[in-house]
Amino acid sequence: MSTGRSNARWVGRLSTRRFSLQRLLIILSVIGPGLITANADNDAGGVTTYATVGATFGYEMIWGLILVTISLIVIQEMAARLGTVTGRGLADLIREEFGVKPAFLAMLTLLVANLATTASEFAGMAASLEIFGVARWITIPLMAIVVWVSVTTGSYRRLERIFLAVSLAFVTYIISGFLIRPEWPTVLRHAVVPSFRWDTHFLLLFVGMVGTTITPWMQFYLQASVVDKGLTAQDLRYVRWDVTLGSLWSDLVAFFIIVDTAATLFPHGIQITQAGDAARALEPFAGHYASVLFASGLFAASFLGAAILPLSTAYAISEAFGFERSVNRAWREAPIFFWLFTSILGIGALLPLIPRISLVKLMLFAQDVNGFLLPVILLFMLRLVNNHRLMGPHTNGPIYNLIVWATVLMIVGLTCALLAGSFLPGLLAGGK
Amino acid sequence: MGVVPEIHASRLLAKTVVDNRGRRLGRVTEIFVQLGKEELPPVVALQVQASSWLWRGPLPFRLVPWRCVQVLVRQYLSLSVGIDSLPPVATPPSPPPPVPSEWLPVRRTLFDKQIVDLNGLRVVRVNDVKFTEIGDTLRLVAVDVGLRGLLRRLGLRPLVHFAESHFGLRLPDTLIRWQDVQRIELEGNGRLHLGVPYERLARLRPADLADILEALHTRERTALLGALDPAVAAETLTEVEPEAREQMLARLTPEHVLRLLQSLSPDDAAAILSELRADRATALLGAMHPEQGEQVRALLEYPEDTAGRFMSTDFMAFPRQMTADETIATLRRLRPPAEEAYYLYVIDDERHLLGTVSLRDLVIAPPEQPLGEIMHPNPVAVRATDDRRTVGELLAKYDLLALPVIDEDGRLVGVVALSEHADEIFRPARRGWWRS
């Protein structure tokens, strides 16, 4: 038996720590899901979209990004709140509260949006290696196999940390932003005064910007990670910090990508046709290494996305329909989960291999798909979060509802305008 | 002869109800079965709600006793009575007509919900419910949890037929007998619904219960764990994956956790405490029974993954002067469990480990011989600070069932038994690969 003296030491060590660090311990144990999810915002599609926004329209869309940031914070908080209060995943809640058919609709929406996003992640990997002259028909099949093997064998966990670190390369856009010396008064004016153009290109890019910032899959992913962490309504205060800080951070990076490209590419009329074009905005900071820095960041972020998206899609669909999920089980025990994961990965990898397709356009298109489909998921979330039986005192307040409804109506409105424009060619100013 | 030999709830719910003169009452929106009296619950009533394409708000509904249902023709259920002889209509928000407490609403409590399959010991989601006519009454016989039921609910029955007749595909019809269905139903306050019997679930082995708990939702998990007998609950808790355990402990009240910890052996309690946040662990340690708290603290002194952390502190040690006869008499009196009696340990006055004695040695020895002469000296032992790899290697190398654990001065402090600590010794990397 141990002696009493050493016991006292053990307890003493804990209790002295408690007073100074207890609060921090609680915060650290809660923080994470929001930050990680928001960080995934700046994936291949995200960076390409923001860079295109800056290069094509200068500072004009910055006000939009600021509005989108507000809805992002509100919507992410809503997803996290649903998770902490109900202790269930989003797919699960949709199935239990609305039944099979609405769950099928929600899952179909998620599947289509995530297939597009997976394709955009593979396009991102291909585009980043094209900067070094590696052909896409080598990159994509090879990376599809690497992603599949690393996930199925479990070695993904180790890779994840490395790639997460590398994907921080995009932070250099912030440094670049100060070195470039953009016209801050102009930036500020565009941040406050909305400018809008009724042409197809502007509208599509705007929807894409919304769709890449607030994606359907993030809602499922965030809620699942909150539930997995075992967070409860008591942790809500900290969860809110986590989600808010995460959203602000990710959109700060997005803001600087737009500002940098607007300051460097827009005045010279340089369009983003290849991923490498977006790297030019980093030159003031990284000089000749700009493209290397950009390519590695893009590659890492895309790799993470290419693994997480098929996984979280397969997970949500299995959750909704009660298929065995492979949490710790062998693949043999969860065949449907396995095939869902494999086919989403496979189809996602095949799309960017379509001959002569523009990788940048594919990435932008994927964000539009996400934007168009987002309202479906948001409406489900709204119904759930305003359900008193489920949420008790934690239902949405009127301002939250207003913001989410405004987001939904804005996307629906833009979608209708785009549809009308494609049927009545004269309605919107065409193309570029 | 009844109305229909067998039918799925999803089909019954789609029917339009008409009375004996062909007047429409509305559609079936709920099916009630009567629990309790019989093993397979009979259908007792339908809830029929007026339907309208235009108006989606609250619509009047009424209860139709199943005995009034006469025949099922295509989309229609026709009644043997007139609309006037049925119980009166209720319109929300006026409360629905009271329903006896043993009536189970099939759609609300089973459809799309998770249930435990007591036979297959897994958690599944209900896609459909199957009724079969037995002895003139339609009874709930099984719940459908397979792909077929799912497609039927989606209205894709023709697709299933097509796939089966043209491609010879055979979709499994995964049914779970009603007798093997365990509902997990929560009330508003997060407690388990009292109307549901849980005896069979409570009789499962802790390891099986642990698998089931892991598959349930967080709230159901916690509620179920809370409803189990504390000893069973505690044992189950030690079998659950660390992530799921963390979630459950976070949602239980400190008093509850304390009660569970106190019915555990010190090594299991220490394992659970070490996963908790430091402030919670300290509070719980302080509130524990002083003697048990002391033992747990002693174990927590050792670094993680060392023998001292997971060793068991209940073991059989005897002084070397004790005779074989006295030892056997003591064992008879103490009746130690099997895993504590693989080997008996011989110690001196200062608890230094001197040797081991097996039960066989003890039985064949002359009654008056002291243990000091029977024992095998120089026993194989591990240091409390040795890691689990060393423990495994020693057990394998010397073909032992248990190893004594000694401190730096050679004093016996615990025992690691293969049968009890296999988990800790050979634990693989058990984290889910899909988690980030």
Side-chain angles (χ1 to χ4, degrees):
Chain A
M1 292 286 109
S2 265
T3 59
R5 189 175 44 82
S6 49
N7 292 334
R9 198 176 59 219
W10 188 75
V11 173
R13 204 164 57 217
L14 277 179
S15 51
T16 48
R17 224 198 244 162
R18 202 176 67 186
F19 293 110
S20 51
L21 289 180
Q22 180 177 14
R23 224 185 153 77
L24 190 68
L25 274 176
I26 297 172
I27 293 172
L28 284 181
S29 70
V30 168
I31 252 167
L35 271 173
I36 290 173
T37 312
N39 200 50
D41 239 5
N42 295 326
D43 61 350
V47 173
T48 310
T49 310
Y50 300 133
T52 309
V53 165
T56 319
F57 294 106
Y59 305 117
E60 258 182 63
M61 268 194 215
I62 285 185
W63 62 275
L65 183 73
I66 286 166
L67 288 186
V68 170
T69 307
I70 297 170
S71 359
L72 177 69
I73 295 172
V74 167
I75 290 164
Q76 297 297 86
E77 194 274 343
M78 223 164 75
R81 182 148 41 93
L82 271 171
T84 49
V85 176
T86 62
R88 284 160 153 74
L90 187 52
D92 222 326
L93 279 177
I94 292 177
R95 170 71 193 269
E96 294 201 349
E97 293 301 316
F98 305 110
V100 173
K101 285 181 187 172
F104 185 75
L105 172 72
M107 289 305 118
L108 197 66
T109 307
L110 183 72
L111 182 67
V112 172
N114 288 4
L115 268 175
T117 315
T118 310
S120 122
E121 307 293 359
F122 275 103
M125 279 193 269
S128 61
L129 291 191
E130 272 184 2
I131 294 176
F132 301 123
V134 183
R136 63 180 79 166
W137 52 267
I138 300 177
T139 312
I140 294 174
L142 188 71
M143 289 327 291
I145 294 169
V146 171
V147 170
W148 191 86
V149 170
S150 69
V151 168
T152 48
T153 56
S155 51
Y156 171 71
R157 294 185 70 80
R158 257 167 289 150
L159 288 176
E160 187 183 45
R161 296 211 185 105
I162 303 168
F163 283 126
L164 258 178
V166 178
S167 71
L168 287 177
F170 292 133
V171 174
T172 50
Y173 272 105
I174 299 181
I175 307 169
S176 228
F178 287 104
L179 296 177
I180 289 170
R181 296 179 196 284
E183 308 149 40
W184 287 115
T186 322
V187 175
L188 201 67
R189 184 165 54 82
H190 281 291
V192 192
V193 186
S195 48
F196 207 81
R197 295 192 197 188
W198 285 104
D199 76 55
T200 316
H201 200 51
F202 188 93
L203 292 187
L204 271 177
L205 209 48
F206 199 92
V207 173
M209 186 174 74
V210 180
T212 195
T213 313
I214 313 169
T215 58
W217 76 268
M218 276 164 69
Q219 316 313 320
F220 288 85
Y221 185 79
L222 176 62
Q223 199 172 328
S225 20
V226 165
V227 173
D228 272 343
K229 273 208 135 188
L231 303 182
T232 65
Q234 287 141 22
D235 303 313
L236 258 179
R237 200 151 52 103
Y238 303 108
V239 170
R240 288 202 174 112
W241 275 107
D242 177 31
V243 163
T244 313
L245 286 177
S247 305
L248 286 176
W249 169 248
S250 98
D251 280 6
L252 185 74
V253 176
F255 171 80
F256 274 100
I257 296 177
I258 297 180
V259 168
D260 291 6
T261 47
T264 52
L265 306 183
F266 177 67
H268 306 291
I270 303 172
Q271 290 291 315
I272 308 265
T273 50
Q274 288 171 343
D277 297 332
R280 291 200 194 178
L282 283 178
E283 272 167 16
F285 166 69
H288 295 303
Y289 299 104
S291 53
V292 179
L293 193 66
F294 177 80
S296 31
L298 191 65
F299 183 83
S302 310
F303 185 93
L304 291 176
I308 292 175
L309 272 149
L311 261 182
S312 72
T313 318
Y315 194 81
I317 293 177
S318 306
E319 187 177 81
F321 298 122
F323 306 139
E324 201 75 62
R325 274 155 287 167
S326 187
V327 179
N328 284 309
R329 293 168 214 288
W331 289 110
R332 211 175 299 117
E333 285 178 57
I336 300 183
F337 180 88
F338 171 79
W339 283 110
L340 273 171
F341 167 70
T342 307
S343 32
I344 296 166
L345 187 72
I347 297 171
L350 280 178
L351 287 177
L353 284 175
I354 297 171
R356 281 190 295 281
I357 199 169
S358 152
L359 294 177
V360 169
K361 281 195 180 140
L362 177 68
M363 286 191 263
L364 291 178
F365 174 71
Q367 312 316 311
D368 279 324
V369 172
N370 271 286
F372 293 141
L373 294 177
L374 180 66
V376 180
I377 303 300
L378 287 185
L379 288 176
F380 275 114
M381 287 175 71
L382 269 177
R383 293 265 322 249
L384 287 170
V385 85
N386 284 313
N387 183 333
H388 263 285
R389 185 171 47 74
L390 278 177
M391 301 298 288
H394 299 290
T395 51
N396 261 7
I399 295 174
Y400 267 57
N401 278 333
L402 186 76
I403 293 175
V404 184
W405 270 110
T407 312
V408 169
L409 292 177
M410 183 187 72
I411 299 171
V412 172
L414 291 178
T415 310
C416 290
L418 280 166
L419 279 177
S422 65
F423 286 117
L424 305 165
L427 196 67
L428 300 176
K432 308 202 169 153
Chain B
M1 183 58 210
V3 179
V4 57
E6 69 167 44
I7 191 166
H8 283 99
S10 61
R11 286 189 62 206
L12 198 54
L13 283 167
K15 303 292 177 212
T16 302
V17 178
V18 292
D19 78 349
N20 58 353
R21 287 165 58 191
R23 287 173 292 192
R24 293 168 68 109
L25 274 74
R27 270 140 116 44
V28 181
T29 53
E30 184 61 278
I31 304 162
F32 289 97
V33 294
Q34 182 159 32
L35 296 175
K37 290 190 194 125
E38 292 143 292
E39 199 177 27
L40 294 174
V43 176
V44 283
L46 302 175
Q47 178 182 288
V48 180
Q49 199 154 1
S51 57
S52 151
W53 282 103
L54 291 172
W55 174 240
R56 283 244 162 254
L59 286 162
F61 56 88
R62 60 173 100 218
L63 281 178
V64 176
W66 180 251
R67 61 188 145 74
C68 300
V69 178
Q70 195 176 34
V71 66
L72 176 87
V73 190
R74 291 165 188 273
Q75 281 312 304
Y76 296 98
L77 267 182
S78 76
L79 306 182
S80 58
V81 294
I83 202 166
D84 331 293
S85 54
L86 289 169
V89 174
T91 310
S94 77
V99 172
S101 62
E102 66 274 15
W103 283 19
L104 179 76
V106 168
R107 183 191 208 166
R108 191 170 64 75
T109 55
L110 288 174
F111 262 40
D112 304 318
K113 299 291 185 288
Q114 284 194 328
I115 54 128
V116 178
D117 169 7
L118 287 171
N119 194 35
L121 296 175
R122 59 201 178 126
V123 176
V124 284
R125 202 182 277 289
V126 177
N127 289 327
D128 210 342
V129 173
K130 188 176 181 173
F131 300 104
T132 302
E133 190 181 82
I134 300 168
D136 258 14
T137 27
L138 197 61
R139 291 170 188 280
L140 201 177
V141 290
V143 298
D144 191 332
V145 297
L147 202 53
R148 220 172 214 283
L150 191 67
L151 292 172
R152 195 184 309 117
R153 283 282 301 286
L154 278 171
L156 295 177
R157 264 160 60 91
L159 189 78
V160 177
H161 284 303
F162 180 78
E164 286 182 348
S165 55
H166 286 254
F167 302 107
L169 270 174
R170 183 79 204 131
L171 283 176
D173 211 3
T174 322
L175 294 173
I176 295 172
R177 299 190 312 155
W178 177 246
Q179 293 94 320
D180 295 331
V181 170
Q182 172 74 64
R183 288 180 291 135
I184 310 282
E185 223 180 293
L186 293 189
E187 284 177 338
N189 55 12
R191 300 262 171 85
L192 283 181
H193 196 277
L194 292 176
V196 186
Y198 291 97
E199 298 91 33
R200 271 189 72 188
L201 195 66
R203 283 204 304 271
L204 294 178
R205 291 188 195 91
D208 290 330
L209 271 173
D211 282 345
I212 289 170
L213 281 180
E214 280 166 20
L216 285 173
H217 294 309
T218 331
R219 290 180 63 192
E220 277 81 353
R221 254 182 205 168
T222 318
L224 190 57
L225 192 76
L228 293 172
D229 174 66
V232 179
E235 194 64 31
T236 306
L237 206 55
T238 63
E239 300 278 349
V240 169
E241 296 280 326
E243 284 94 355
R245 181 159 56 217
E246 225 175 283
Q247 283 183 26
M248 280 190 270
L249 289 174
R251 282 179 174 248
L252 291 174
T253 60
E255 297 78 43
H256 200 138
V257 177
L258 189 64
R259 209 158 59 234
L260 295 180
L261 285 178
Q262 288 187 334
S263 55
L264 284 175
S265 59
D267 54 315
D268 285 334
I272 287 176
L273 278 176
S274 61
E275 285 169 10
L276 289 177
R277 229 158 47 200
D279 56 318
R280 283 194 80 188
T282 328
L284 284 166
L285 258 178
M288 274 170 109
H289 195 271
E291 195 187 331
Q292 197 196 10
E294 193 74 4
Q295 288 179 328
V296 174
R297 274 197 194 102
L299 291 172
L300 284 172
E301 279 282 290
Y302 297 104
E304 207 166 323
D305 263 0
T306 60
R309 200 34 121 47
F310 61 82
M311 69 188 178
S312 142
T313 46
D314 297 324
F315 51 84
M316 293 281 128
F318 299 93
R320 65 173 147 186
Q321 309 88 337
M322 215 167 177
T323 64
D325 232 15
E326 285 167 349
T327 311
I328 291 174
T330 314
L331 285 174
R332 286 213 174 96
R333 187 162 48 81
L334 292 174
R335 307 169 69 94
E339 66 271 11
E340 286 175 23
Y342 292 126
Y343 308 106
L344 309 176
Y345 300 100
V346 183
I347 51 176
D348 65 12
D349 298 339
E350 286 181 318
R351 301 177 63 94
H352 289 110
L353 179 65
L354 300 175
T356 60
V357 174
S358 74
L359 288 176
R360 174 192 164 274
D361 299 333
L362 204 57
V363 173
I364 62 169
E368 296 306 319
Q369 196 170 21
L371 290 177
E373 289 171 24
I374 310 170
M375 70 176 189
H376 304 275
N378 302 323
V380 182
V382 281
R383 289 294 185 92
T385 47
D386 284 343
D387 68 2
R388 61 193 182 100
R389 274 236 319 275
T390 318
V391 176
E393 280 164 9
L394 285 178
L395 283 169
K397 183 173 176 192
Y398 296 103
D399 292 331
L400 293 169
L401 293 171
L403 271 177
V405 182
I406 53 175
D407 65 9
E408 57 268 38
D409 302 325
R411 275 189 287 260
L412 181 61
V413 289
V415 172
V416 176
L418 193 54
S419 62
E420 257 199 303
H421 300 111
D423 268 5
E424 287 92 342
I425 300 169
F426 304 111
R427 183 181 52 211
R430 274 160 57 137
R431 303 200 117 230
W433 52 264
W434 61 273
R435 283 166 207 266
S436 59

